[in-house]
Amino acid sequence: MAGVLMLSFGVMMMLGLPIAFAMALAAVMTIANHPTLPFSVFVQRALIGADSYSLLAIPFFILAGNIMNVGGITSRIISFANACVGRFAGGLGLTTVMSCMVFSGVSGSAVADATALGKVLIPGMKRSGYDPGYAAAITASASVMGPIIPPSIPLVIYALSVGKGVSVAALFLGGVIPGLLLGGGLAVVVYLISRARKYPVNEAVPMREVLRSGSKAIWALMMPFVILFGVTGGVVTVTESAAVAVLYALFVAMVIHRELSWRQLWSICVQSGLDSAVVMIIIAFAAGFGWLMAVSGLPREIAAWIGAFSNNPWVILILINVLLLIVGCFMEAIAAMIILIPVLIPIVEAVGIDLVHFGLVIVFNLMLGLLTPPVGILLYICGNFAQVKIERVVREVLPFLGVGLGVLVIITFIPEVVLWLPRLVLN
């Protein structure tokens, strides 16, 4: 059964089918090859996987990000970031990193960050003389912070998949320092490369201009803190915080900035519904696929193999990281999480690895897969905005990918980088 499932899935992926439909067709072929399983079991398990109140946070966070993008909030974030760091070598690149860091506290999605900011910043960097592949690589790499800095859609999915009382608030807080480390590392690389290539530097703006642009962006800058403090303070649940984020974004865009009309709101809702549907169909089909894999006994065999290899938690983490880096090259992150979490959690629990720490490791690792071909969706999105071939973006993204791997090593082997802030705030 496991052999048919994985072979079918591999064939579908090689044929270039979207990940959701590759999982669904592989599951159907496996059930057709099994004498006792009815076809309805896959539909049932898919519906169970998607039928969760907590998953409502996903469309709400997507909607909040889209409202802020169309409502003029994104442009204010970019202006503020440029006023702060535009005076340094690679100023526009540094603006991109800083803008993504701020926008990450709104969207919770790497794809949303890349789409919202890339369409503005990449053409701007090209006009300033930046290599198009380099401009795309900066934006793609910086967008990885979206699911690391809270709020984070993948961290919500991880918490729901694990259960067992894993706190979303702790996961959100655990992502703050890794996200800042990644942003700082990317900024250093941008500065060094831009200085070596002699990219243009913007004129320094007076402090009053920085303060003025900051005052215009203050509502956007406050949003991550509203979400984080609401969740960690026990005022709202994660799902409720996502709904609050939507109301907050509507208030800012329609009342404060007055750049969003009711007619635009309808198109935003339609687009957010389409974006949410893409995520939810992956979650549903991955749940059915994962259930079949569990029934086949494959997770137990993998767990037994890793357990037989070593009982040392550091060795286990190295093996899991290698596995996830390979998987991330070929599979969409959310689907990979739903399939692999039931396999990996018993292994890490057996050797005493903290589940909040492991949550950041698995999410951070799979987010790096967004920068690696052949699946690396951020490479394609940003390459399209830059109008260059994917090979050119891949060459330019390698130094930034190296920074990501370095931060992954740090959070893997120094758990306190992840756990210090949750323990400080929640205990």
Side-chain angles (χ1 to χ4, degrees):
M1 183 176 177
V4 174
L5 182 67
M6 298 311 296
L7 179 61
S8 302
F9 178 65
V11 170
M12 299 301 170
M13 289 291 291
M14 285 189 289
L15 290 175
L17 265 68
I19 182 71
F21 298 106
M23 289 186 293
L25 287 174
V28 168
M29 294 176 68
T30 303
I31 293 171
N33 196 55
H34 197 280
T36 59
L37 285 176
F39 283 105
S40 59
V41 72
F42 178 75
V43 177
Q44 179 192 35
R45 287 293 162 177
L47 291 174
I48 291 173
D51 185 17
S52 170
Y53 166 75
S54 298
L55 287 176
L56 281 172
I58 294 173
F60 278 131
F61 279 134
I62 291 173
L63 177 58
N66 286 341
I67 290 171
M68 296 191 81
N69 187 33
V70 176
I73 300 171
T74 302
S75 61
R76 286 171 170 81
I77 292 173
I78 294 172
S79 297
F80 173 63
N82 191 48
C84 291
V85 297
R87 70 192 70 187
F88 302 108
L92 272 178
L94 294 174
T95 297
T96 301
V97 173
M98 186 173 174
S99 299
C100 285
M101 192 177 293
V102 176
F103 200 75
S104 295
V106 177
S107 68
S109 165
V111 172
D113 283 16
T115 303
L117 299 172
K119 66 178 65 175
V120 177
L121 289 166
I122 292 175
M125 283 188 276
K126 286 176 63 179
R127 286 193 297 270
S128 296
Y130 284 64
D131 180 275
Y134 178 65
I138 294 173
T139 310
S141 304
S143 298
V144 170
M145 289 184 284
I148 308 301
I149 296 176
S152 166
I153 291 172
L155 287 177
V156 172
I157 293 171
Y158 171 83
L160 293 175
S161 300
V162 175
K164 301 179 182 178
V166 175
S167 166
V168 176
L171 289 167
F172 278 8
L173 287 167
V176 172
I177 295 177
L180 294 176
L181 284 175
L182 178 61
L186 294 176
V188 170
V189 172
V190 168
Y191 175 81
L192 294 175
I193 293 177
S194 299
R195 187 173 180 180
R197 297 182 182 181
K198 295 181 171 38
Y199 286 136
V201 179
N202 295 340
E203 290 186 9
V205 298
M207 182 55 65
R208 64 177 179 273
E209 176 62 25
V210 176
L211 295 176
R212 189 177 70 84
S213 61
S215 65
K216 289 183 177 180
I218 188 65
W219 291 98
L221 298 174
M222 285 172 56
M223 188 171 180
F225 297 100
V226 171
I227 296 170
L228 194 57
F229 290 144
V231 174
T232 58
V235 180
V236 292
T237 65
V238 174
T239 306
E240 290 166 348
S241 76
V244 168
V246 172
L247 294 176
Y248 183 93
L250 282 172
F251 174 75
V252 174
M254 301 187 79
V255 178
I256 303 297
H257 296 159
R258 298 183 180 181
E259 293 190 19
L260 181 66
S261 66
W262 289 106
R263 180 174 296 179
Q264 288 174 305
L265 184 59
W266 170 252
S267 63
I268 290 171
C269 289
V270 171
Q271 184 59 51
S272 299
L274 294 172
D275 295 341
S276 301
V278 172
V279 177
M280 293 306 297
I281 197 170
I282 292 173
I283 291 173
F285 287 170
F289 184 91
W291 181 83
L292 276 174
M293 192 166 68
V295 169
S296 73
L298 182 60
R300 290 192 300 273
E301 294 177 14
I302 296 174
W305 179 83
I306 295 179
F309 191 89
S310 176
N311 289 322
N312 186 308
W314 305 119
V315 175
I316 296 295
L317 282 172
I318 291 172
L319 291 173
I320 290 174
N321 269 321
V322 172
L323 171 66
L324 293 175
L325 287 170
I326 295 171
V327 168
C329 292
F330 300 98
M331 189 179 292
E332 200 277 338
I334 291 175
M337 287 173 61
I338 295 173
I339 293 170
L340 292 176
I341 284 172
V343 178
L344 300 176
I345 290 301
I347 300 171
V348 300
E349 282 188 312
V351 295
I353 296 171
D354 186 275
L355 293 183
V356 172
H357 172 223
F358 182 67
L360 265 299
V361 170
I362 190 172
V363 169
F364 196 104
N365 192 312
L366 289 173
M367 290 308 108
L368 294 181
L370 299 174
L371 300 176
T372 55
V375 172
I377 184 65
L378 295 181
L379 301 177
Y380 293 97
I381 292 173
C382 296
N384 181 57
F385 287 138
Q387 298 179 323
V388 293
K389 292 183 178 180
I390 187 69
E391 294 84 359
R392 196 165 167 182
V393 185
V394 171
R395 285 197 303 270
E396 295 285 0
V397 87
L398 292 178
F400 303 108
L401 186 58
V403 171
L405 291 172
V407 176
L408 176 62
V409 170
I410 291 172
I411 67 172
T412 297
F413 294 107
I414 309 177
E416 285 303 311
V417 172
V418 172
L419 300 176
W420 174 76
L421 192 57
R423 287 171 178 168
L424 178 68
V425 175
L426 300 178
N427 291 342

